[in-house]
Amino acid sequence: RVMALSKLQRRTRIKYRIRKIVSGTASKPRLSVYRSNKEIYAQLVNDVDGATIASVSSRNKEIKATTKQEAAAAVGKSIADLAAKAGVETVAFDRNGYLYHGRVKVLAEAAREAGLKF
């Protein structure tokens, strides 16, 4: 009998499948999204050097949001602004095993609207 995967095991499996393809460089870093039940985090990663170029989360003081969707949009806009300051205009989007839906989608669309290309 085959046991069903837990949510975390399923996400981890999808995550590895994505990471085989998506990788970040200095000119085109990886925009990695992490979503907890309460907060949402985004970071630009240069996988060649193993360095984080910029990171932002809904826990930051400057992000004021009442709903999780608003927080995700604010984080998306904020990461795009930080990317522009770092001289980055294109990124590789890493949904980190989450479905491209809900808060992950809101964050991605907000980042695109703020001028990030992916």
Side-chain angles (χ1 to χ4, degrees):
R1 210 168 117 221
V2 181
M3 294 291 291
L5 295 175
S6 73
K7 270 187 179 178
L8 184 64
Q9 287 170 320
R10 181 179 171 280
R11 187 175 81 84
T12 307
R13 207 176 255 195
I14 296 168
K15 180 179 173 174
Y16 287 130
R17 194 163 56 216
I18 294 167
R19 287 290 284 117
K20 273 194 294 194
I21 302 159
V22 177
S23 183
T25 62
S27 58
K28 188 181 177 182
R30 174 169 58 93
L31 172 55
S32 178
V33 174
Y34 176 73
R35 188 193 74 186
S36 73
N37 287 338
K38 205 168 155 187
E39 314 287 351
I40 192 157
Y41 308 80
Q43 61 180 351
L44 294 174
V45 184
N46 174 356
D47 291 309
V48 178
D49 301 338
T52 298
I53 297 163
S55 69
V56 67
S57 83
S58 55
R59 297 184 68 183
N60 290 13
K61 298 269 188 287
E62 60 269 12
I63 290 176
K64 301 269 189 274
T66 51
T67 66
K68 292 182 197 177
Q69 295 270 341
E70 283 173 19
V75 168
K77 186 183 180 313
S78 185
I79 197 79
D81 295 342
L82 286 173
K85 281 186 192 134
V88 172
E89 31 187 76
T90 57
V91 296
F93 188 69
D94 174 15
R95 59 192 174 90
N96 226 341
Y98 303 109
L99 295 177
Y100 186 77
H101 175 81
R103 288 189 282 158
V104 175
K105 186 175 179 180
V106 167
L107 186 146
E109 285 170 353
R112 280 198 188 101
E113 273 173 37
L116 215 52
K117 292 185 179 70
F118 58 93

